[in-house]
Amino acid sequence: MDFPRLAERTGHFRHGSPHAVTVGADGRRVVFLRSTGPEDPIASLWVLNVATAAESLVAPGPLPSYATDRDARVAAFAREGRLFRADLTRGTVTEVPTDEPVEDPRPDPLGVTIAYVSRAGGSPSLRVVGPEGDRLLAGESGNAWREHGGTIGWGVADETARRFGRDRGWWWAPDGSQILAARTAASTSLHLLDLDFGWVDVHWDRETYPHVVNVRWADGGGPLITVLRRAQQHGLVLAVDSRTGETQVHAELADARWVEPVAGTPRHLPDGRVLVGGELAHDGFDARCLFADGSLLTPPALYVRRVVGTIPRPGSPAPDLVVEGTEGDPATQAVFRVRTSLGGGGAEARKVTEEPGWHHAVTGGDVLIVDDVVWRGEARVAALGNLAAPLPYQPAPVLERVTDRHLPAAVLYPTGFVGGTKLPVLVTMGEGPGRQQVVHDPAAWQERQWWADAGFAVVSIDGRGTPGVAPSYEKVVHRRLVDVALSDQADALKALLGKHPDLDLGTVAVRGNGLGGWLAAMAVLRRPEVFHRGVARDPIVDWHDEPVPFAERYLGDHRDSADVYAHHSLHDPDPTDTLLLIGAEVPGLPSRPTATLVEELAFLQPKS
């Protein structure tokens, strides 16, 4: 089977599957994007009526994204800079005239006004269009934009924000009367903009806490923001007064390595408490947890990955939280219901998903969607139609925990392999330590099965630095990433041989992309006795060239860590022909601007 061609043609087998799912706050409608089948890359806008379980096409594609009002009665989307408004109750679409090309349009929570970002003047500006027409809400003059080197703008997330997982630059007030907008320049500031053109600045110590990690304004009360110091070892959760812009510290976040906020937090609970993600690291605990006004809500055994939302709890005025997380096996992601009312029994979480897998959830009103299945209470309402092609491979990786550090690892053999024959080994670094590879998700193993069927025993190891196990496991790599990561990879390979005697550790290749490409290159250069050939796609060459938040998370402040940065650099290696760089150049190492998987295979296959 020609995996590269199949993957290119089918978009990694996801065309035809529902995605970008939204549930209205009243629980009546489910909105999502989906193409017409596996050969169609163009996503269209669909609505499921929860009461009738009937799907209907609202807007043919292409639609890369959309946004809805609170109850999913109205959707807004842009096509080639033009703005469209969809009535999701009637299934009609109308074009909305605007004065400038449209990006990132979103209706207000009541569905009356639509705000959007425009780049018509070069500098991103924020505009609103409604009953009074199209008007500028916040923007910069062309001179100001040029004076700041083209980096100033309103309503967009800069590279630093995206590195922290914040891809939005503006947020509606729950009543639609204001917008909280980010202004990006030398540092990010926040401003509360009234639709009648009044505004106030949001006040906090921006010099000490320059990183705006996340913002939420959707659960009643004022906005909640999380800000971090440059060193990322201390942060504040701030409650913002929407009238004055003044802030009050609600919680402090601290870690000796770096603070890692939980996705989906902070947020207001219906009773007014503020939910904050944090870590429990005392009395033998090493957990990623949730707290409500300082009270622990989640059991320490639950590693919380993301807070999805809330859903009514039968017989209780306090809702449950819906959480994606891991309990025990880091290769799985399950969906849990977490009790928000603390009773005598302490923290309580009930698993919703039974089968091991990599599960996702969406909530709205009393509706819960787990993967593609729509539930209302205990009743299964419908399943969102999935028109994607079946996965071409049915991989069966053997999952292990190895060494005294219990490193998650997996071995994937060629289809139909019968033991007794030594196989060359291919170690995949994926996208690096920050991303898990050893997961219960067949889609994640498709490309690796292609490599296995080309004649390798494919090995994946989630060494320290990878999320999903425990906070300390993820953060122990601080300032010594290359040494810890390579030690874990080498030790795990040796340990796997005891359970998998067909691994030929005399012929080990390695490949990765981005951070994983850098680690693959380092493996060949620093541990050639273990890793004999390697391909590094778009690897980091010099950490000084990386975005500051990303580099300093792993290596510390470059201003006082010159030796650490030099130790992690790809510069000045001993010349070798056993390592191929793709998309990067380093003197002494073979490189190509691009390469196909087949060309990688030709380089990595054992040489006779």
Side-chain angles (χ1 to χ4, degrees):
M1 182 177 296
D2 190 340
F3 176 85
R5 289 185 180 179
L6 183 61
E8 181 180 358
R9 188 175 78 244
T10 62
H12 293 283
F13 326 112
R14 298 192 185 278
H15 296 332
S17 61
H19 59 282
V21 180
T22 302
V23 184
D26 60 7
R28 296 183 177 182
R29 283 165 293 278
V30 177
V31 191
F32 57 97
L33 296 179
R34 185 183 63 202
S35 64
T36 58
E39 301 298 327
D40 181 10
I42 298 176
S44 301
L45 185 66
W46 295 77
V47 171
L48 172 81
N49 184 311
V50 174
T52 64
E55 292 182 2
S56 58
L57 173 64
V58 176
L63 270 74
S65 63
Y66 72 95
T68 72
D69 66 347
R70 181 172 51 227
D71 289 334
R73 296 171 302 173
V74 171
F77 58 89
R79 263 200 203 113
E80 298 180 343
R82 297 157 59 194
L83 177 61
F84 293 86
R85 183 183 188 276
D87 186 325
L88 300 177
T89 62
R90 299 180 180 179
T92 59
V93 178
T94 56
E95 183 172 358
V96 179
T98 61
D99 294 341
E100 296 186 359
V102 174
E103 292 182 21
D104 190 23
R106 285 186 233 132
D108 72 57
L110 304 181
V112 177
T113 302
I114 299 174
Y116 68 93
V117 172
S118 171
R119 299 179 188 264
S123 173
S125 60
L126 194 58
R127 304 182 66 90
V128 292
V129 57
E132 299 179 0
D134 187 342
R135 53 203 177 99
L136 176 69
L137 195 62
E140 302 288 333
S141 68
N143 288 337
W145 182 62
R146 286 186 289 273
E147 288 171 2
H148 286 80
T151 61
I152 192 170
W154 286 84
V156 294
D158 58 11
E159 179 61 27
T160 295
R162 287 190 289 271
R163 287 288 179 173
F164 284 115
R166 178 174 67 81
D167 58 3
R168 295 180 59 176
W170 63 275
W171 302 263
W172 278 110
D175 64 0
S177 65
Q178 290 179 295
I179 286 176
L180 177 62
R183 179 181 182 269
T184 60
S187 63
T188 297
S189 56
L190 296 173
H191 309 268
L192 289 154
L193 313 176
D194 295 333
L195 295 194
D196 62 4
F197 299 106
W199 73 339
V200 295
D201 302 332
V202 177
H203 301 285
W204 81 94
D205 186 349
R206 288 169 48 208
E207 184 173 348
T208 303
Y209 298 92
H211 297 318
V212 182
V213 176
N214 50 43
V215 177
R216 183 175 177 84
W217 196 7
D219 305 303
L224 294 170
I225 66 174
T226 303
V227 295
L228 294 183
R229 288 180 180 266
R230 172 173 170 164
Q232 302 177 52
Q233 295 167 340
H234 191 267
L236 302 175
V237 175
L238 303 175
V240 181
D241 188 315
S242 60
R243 296 168 301 131
T244 65
E246 297 299 323
T247 57
Q248 181 178 0
V249 176
H250 187 86
E252 295 190 41
L253 308 173
D255 189 274
R257 287 74 50 99
W258 71 79
V259 167
E260 185 73 40
V262 173
T265 65
R267 65 171 64 211
H268 285 103
L269 295 176
D271 61 7
R273 291 178 296 165
V274 174
L275 184 74
V276 174
E279 294 168 4
L280 199 59
H282 61 81
D283 294 335
F285 293 119
D286 187 6
R288 191 163 160 78
C289 303
L290 297 175
F291 300 85
D293 282 0
S295 297
L296 180 66
L297 287 188
T298 50
L302 174 58
Y303 179 102
V304 178
R305 296 177 183 271
R306 183 173 79 98
V307 176
V308 178
T310 60
I311 197 165
R313 180 181 181 89
S316 173
D320 284 347
L321 284 173
V322 176
V323 169
E324 295 170 352
T326 291
E327 191 175 49
D329 181 3
T332 66
Q333 175 171 286
V335 177
F336 297 82
R337 292 181 66 136
V338 175
R339 188 176 64 179
T340 59
S341 60
L342 291 175
E348 176 187 305
R350 178 173 66 87
K351 186 183 293 186
V352 175
T353 50
E354 297 299 331
E355 293 296 321
W358 202 258
H359 299 288
H360 298 276
V362 184
T363 62
D366 60 349
V367 170
L368 169 65
I369 301 179
V370 179
D371 301 325
D372 294 340
V373 179
V374 182
W375 297 84
R376 171 166 267 165
E378 299 299 320
R380 185 182 188 275
V381 174
L384 302 180
N386 193 328
L387 308 179
L391 296 175
Y393 296 115
Q394 298 300 318
V398 182
L399 274 56
E400 309 278 10
R401 300 295 291 274
V402 296
T403 81
D404 59 353
R405 297 184 289 279
H406 302 286
L407 308 174
V411 180
L412 184 64
Y413 291 103
T415 302
F417 176 74
V418 178
T421 303
K422 286 286 187 179
L423 288 173
V425 174
L426 173 63
V427 178
T428 64
M429 299 295 189
E431 296 182 11
R435 300 286 183 90
Q436 284 183 254
Q437 294 189 88
V438 183
V439 293
H440 279 292
D441 181 2
W445 295 93
Q446 297 298 305
E447 182 181 306
R448 281 177 277 183
Q449 187 66 65
W450 180 85
W451 283 96
D453 289 353
F456 290 99
V458 176
V459 173
S460 300
I461 301 156
D462 285 343
R464 287 172 292 173
T466 309
V469 177
S472 66
Y473 187 92
E474 182 177 357
K475 298 177 181 181
V476 70
V477 298
H478 184 61
R479 294 174 63 88
R480 55 194 188 117
L481 173 62
V482 68
D483 301 310
V484 172
L486 291 184
S487 175
D488 282 355
Q489 296 287 323
D491 292 349
L493 270 177
K494 183 177 179 180
L496 283 169
L497 186 60
K499 299 182 178 182
H500 299 268
D502 292 321
L503 300 182
D504 181 1
L505 298 191
T507 310
V508 178
V510 60
R511 66 185 296 266
N513 179 68
L515 177 58
W518 164 82
L519 189 57
M522 284 297 193
V524 175
L525 296 173
R526 300 281 177 89
R527 299 295 299 269
E529 79 283 3
V530 178
F531 304 98
H532 307 110
R533 299 186 72 80
V535 170
R537 280 187 177 268
D538 302 316
I540 296 169
V541 174
D542 187 337
W543 284 80
H544 289 96
D545 298 331
E546 295 303 299
V548 169
F550 176 72
E552 294 191 344
R553 162 169 293 196
Y554 286 114
L555 305 188
D557 191 333
H558 70 270
R559 294 170 296 187
D560 58 15
S561 305
D563 56 335
V564 176
Y565 279 72
H567 183 61
H568 287 75
S569 173
L570 271 181
H571 284 311
D572 303 322
D574 291 333
T576 179
D577 62 358
T578 60
L579 173 63
L580 174 64
L581 304 184
I582 301 173
E585 294 185 9
V586 175
L589 302 179
S591 65
R592 298 180 188 176
T594 61
T596 65
L597 290 184
V598 174
E599 290 170 327
E600 281 193 53
L601 175 61
F603 184 86
L604 291 175
Q605 281 179 325
K607 303 301 184 280
S608 58

